């Protein structure tokens, strides 16, 4: 019964998010509460689980609020304008060059293994460029998410760390066989970026006032003055402080990668310094905060709602029960190949199971079952990790994805519809590649 209620709760939320009929906050708050009540939990117990869930995401919320404010101030000050113009000049308005560049930039940004910092680094810088070229921001999120997912196979990334804990292996030892696969995956992703870039060029060519030639630099700069969401008062720009702002931003990125100070604290400090340097007057500082506060607070509220959702479903045992029952319901002839089945379905599982439920509840059960048929623990783990990790950033369970959606001003449902089959297909291709090179036996 617990599994049924948990599955129904998750399915209803996913369907509501995909349909766009309610705001994420309503679905993430009310549906799990109703599910917990049906499962026999009282309001007092649900309140405790709510608190535990909020504690899990609070650091992300703090980081989100101050990161949005910081990068908003940097945009106002004109920090990203020269970067964008240089990229446009380099690509000469070539959509394909932009998509390939996005993959490479995101891979570098994700060297620290943190999805949140990757999105914080890439989206504010690249989104205006996508807007100028009239490229879909959902394509930006798809490419950044895929690139970050590939890089997330590093031993300091969450999935490998969880897997190592489950099967009792060393994370570095688990990672080494994955290095060739990461290289193959990056080559394949660059190829996919070219394909998607060609598709995007065809779409743009059909837009009003667009011709079939490549967009030149002058034309893209003119588009900035039209219906761009990133229009701003030029009086806010601080071109004389460009290098100061650049050094400050590089310092922030360095601290995020270093990890010695909590990310939220890093952005608190950097925002304070940025405001003092660029807008010395108190009234100007308050105006910059007010200008960017609505987006920051709205998405912070959604992340808090997601924390409540995760806390209730995890604390009631619905996620663990669901993971176990999904395995036991499969036909007997599938059991020896269960790790491959789950791996091939890893991306769809991202829509119904949290990362912790997948690795700490589902993986141990699958590994234990297939080990009786001679499958090594590492091989079973690789199948499930590779199949699932690529779908990390299309999952409503990922706080970092909510952060990315907030930074880009996008909707979860539309993102899933746009990216799901590309991500799932890429995941399946990687599993096959892993089998061919012997990573998965």
């Amino acid at each position: 019964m617990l599994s049924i209620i948990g599955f129904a709760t998750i399915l209803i939320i996913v369907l509501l998010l995909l349909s766009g009929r309610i705001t994420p906050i309503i679905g993430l708050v009310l549906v799990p509460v109703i599910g917990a009540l049906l499962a026999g939990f009282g309001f007092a117990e649900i309140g405790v689980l709510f608190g535990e869930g909020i504690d899990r995401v609070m650091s992300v919320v703090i980081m989100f609020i101050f990161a949005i404010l910081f990068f908003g101030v940097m945009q106002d000050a004109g920090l990203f304008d020269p970067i964008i113009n240089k990229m446009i000049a380099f690509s000469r308005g070539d959509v394909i060059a932009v998509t390939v560049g996005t993959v490479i930039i995101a891979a570098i940004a994700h060297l620290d293994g943190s999805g949140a910092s990757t999105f914080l680094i890439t989206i504010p810088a690249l989104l205006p460029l996508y807007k100028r070229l009239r490229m879909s921001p959902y394509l930006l999120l798809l490419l950044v998410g895929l690139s970050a997912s590939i890089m997330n196979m590093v031993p300091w990334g969450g999935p490998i760390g969880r897997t190592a804990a489950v099967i009792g292996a060393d994370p570095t030892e688990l990672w080494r066989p994955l290095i060739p696969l990461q290289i193959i995956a990056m080559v394949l992703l660059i190829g996919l970026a070219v394909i998607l870039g060609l598709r995007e060029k065809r779409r743009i060519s059909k837009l009003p006032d667009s011709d079939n030639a490549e967009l030149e630099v002058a034309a893209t700069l003119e588009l900035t003055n039209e219906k761009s969401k990133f229009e701003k008062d030029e009086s806010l720009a601080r071109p004389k402080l460009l290098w100061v702002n650049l050094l400050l931003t590089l310092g922030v990125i360095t601290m995020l990668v270093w990890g010695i100070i909590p990310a939220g604290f890093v952005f608190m400090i950097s925002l304070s310094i940025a405001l003092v340097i660029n807008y010395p007057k108190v009234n100007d500082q308050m105006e910059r905060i007010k200008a960017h506060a609505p987006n920051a607070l709205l998405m912070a509220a959604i992340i808090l709602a997601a924390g409540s959702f995760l806390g209730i479903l995890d604390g009631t045992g619905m996620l663990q029960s669901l993971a176990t029952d999904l395995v036991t319901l499969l036909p007997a002839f599938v059991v020896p190949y269960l790790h491959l089945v789950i791996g091939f379905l890893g991306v769809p599982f991202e829509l119904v199971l949290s990362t912790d439920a997948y690795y700490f509840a589902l993986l141990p059960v699958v590994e234990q079952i297939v080990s009786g048929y001679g499958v090594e623990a590492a091989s079973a783990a690789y199948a499930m990790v590779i199949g699932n990790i690529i779908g990390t950033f299309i999952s409503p369970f990922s706080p970092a994805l909510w952060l990315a959606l907030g930074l880009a001003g996008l909707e979860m449902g539309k993102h899933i519809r746009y990216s799901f089959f590309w991500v799932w297909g890429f995941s399946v291709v990687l599993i096959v590649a892993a089998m061919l090179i012997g990573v998965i036996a």
Side-chain angles (χ1 to χ4, degrees):
M1 182 58 68
L2 197 60
S3 296
I4 294 174
I5 295 175
F7 180 76
T9 300
I10 296 171
L11 181 62
I12 290 171
I13 291 175
V14 171
L15 291 176
L16 288 174
L17 288 173
L18 288 172
S19 69
R21 294 181 179 178
I22 64 170
T23 64
I25 294 175
I26 295 174
L28 292 170
V29 171
L30 293 183
V31 178
V33 170
I34 295 172
L37 290 173
L38 292 174
F41 290 84
F43 280 107
E45 294 173 293
I46 295 174
V48 173
L49 300 179
F50 161 80
E52 294 174 352
I54 294 299
D55 289 342
R56 292 167 58 177
V57 300
M58 185 54 68
S59 60
V60 176
V61 171
I62 295 172
M63 179 186 67
F64 183 89
I65 293 173
F66 288 95
I68 289 292
L69 294 176
F70 172 75
F71 282 112
V73 171
M74 290 296 99
Q75 286 181 348
D76 292 338
L79 172 63
F80 299 118
D81 291 346
I83 300 174
I84 296 166
N85 292 335
K86 288 291 184 182
M87 289 185 68
I88 292 176
F90 175 76
S91 65
R92 296 191 62 82
D94 183 15
V95 172
I96 297 174
V98 173
T99 55
V100 172
T102 299
V103 169
I104 297 172
I105 292 170
I108 295 171
H110 200 71
L111 286 172
D112 66 341
S114 169
S117 63
T118 299
F119 290 126
L120 287 167
I121 293 166
T122 56
I123 291 180
L126 293 175
L127 184 60
L129 174 59
Y130 272 67
K131 291 293 185 180
R132 287 187 181 185
L133 298 177
R134 300 200 285 185
M135 297 171 65
S136 171
Y138 290 98
L139 175 58
L140 167 62
L141 196 54
L142 168 61
L143 293 174
V144 172
L146 282 173
S147 187
S149 297
I150 294 170
M151 295 303 297
N152 210 28
M153 294 181 191
V154 294
W156 53 89
I160 296 299
R162 289 180 176 91
T163 302
V166 169
I167 67 174
D170 179 79
T172 305
E173 293 295 328
L174 279 177
W175 175 53
R176 285 172 186 154
L178 291 175
I179 295 175
L181 184 66
Q182 284 183 290
I183 296 172
I184 293 171
M186 288 305 302
V187 173
L188 291 175
L189 183 55
I190 290 174
L192 179 60
V194 172
I195 294 172
L196 293 176
L198 289 170
R199 188 184 73 156
E200 192 70 2
K201 286 184 71 173
R202 289 195 296 269
R203 184 190 67 83
I204 294 171
S205 68
K206 297 176 183 178
L207 295 176
D209 302 322
S210 174
D211 54 39
N212 294 324
E214 292 184 348
L215 296 174
E216 299 292 341
V217 177
T220 57
L221 291 176
E222 289 176 5
L223 287 173
T224 310
N225 298 321
E226 295 180 1
K227 300 177 181 179
S228 173
K229 290 172 62 177
F230 290 88
E231 288 181 2
K232 61 176 182 286
D233 186 349
E234 290 301 324
S235 65
L236 299 174
R238 298 292 186 266
K240 294 182 179 180
L241 296 174
L242 175 64
W243 288 105
V244 175
N245 288 324
L246 178 60
L247 289 174
L248 176 60
T249 303
L250 291 176
V252 169
I253 295 172
T254 302
M255 295 304 294
L256 290 175
V257 174
W258 191 11
I260 193 172
I261 299 177
F265 192 32
V266 171
F267 281 112
M268 280 186 178
I269 296 173
S270 59
L271 173 64
S272 302
I273 296 174
L275 287 172
V276 170
I277 291 175
N278 292 283
Y279 308 102
K281 296 182 180 179
V282 175
N283 288 340
D284 292 340
Q285 294 171 5
M286 292 304 299
E287 285 301 316
R288 292 302 89 221
I289 293 174
K290 290 178 182 178
H292 300 289
N295 287 335
L297 293 177
L298 175 61
M299 290 310 302
I302 292 177
I303 293 175
L304 288 171
S308 172
F309 166 56
L310 293 171
I312 292 173
L313 263 70
D314 210 9
T316 56
M318 292 183 192
L319 291 179
Q320 289 77 8
S321 178
L322 176 59
T324 302
D325 288 345
L326 283 174
V327 171
T328 58
L329 289 174
L330 289 172
F333 69 88
V334 176
V335 174
Y337 311 101
L338 194 55
H339 59 303
L340 293 174
V341 173
I342 300 297
F344 282 120
L345 296 175
V347 171
F349 267 111
E350 272 294 289
L351 298 180
V352 296
L353 292 176
S354 71
T355 301
D356 286 338
Y358 185 86
Y359 287 99
F360 292 138
L362 189 57
L363 175 57
V365 176
V366 174
E367 187 273 325
Q368 184 177 13
I369 292 174
V370 298
S371 64
Y373 293 85
V375 179
E376 294 184 1
S379 182
Y382 285 139
M384 293 186 62
V385 170
I386 296 167
N388 175 264
I389 199 171
I390 299 301
T392 299
F393 298 115
I394 63 165
S395 171
F397 292 93
S398 171
L401 178 56
W402 290 106
L403 170 62
L405 293 169
L407 289 168
L410 305 178
E411 298 177 16
M412 175 65 80
K414 289 183 179 179
H415 167 60
I416 294 175
R417 289 196 296 270
Y418 185 94
S419 301
F420 179 79
F421 287 104
W422 289 108
V423 172
W424 192 8
F426 195 82
S427 170
V428 170
V429 170
L430 279 194
I431 293 178
V432 173
M435 295 172 68
L436 292 175
I437 64 175
V439 174
I440 300 174

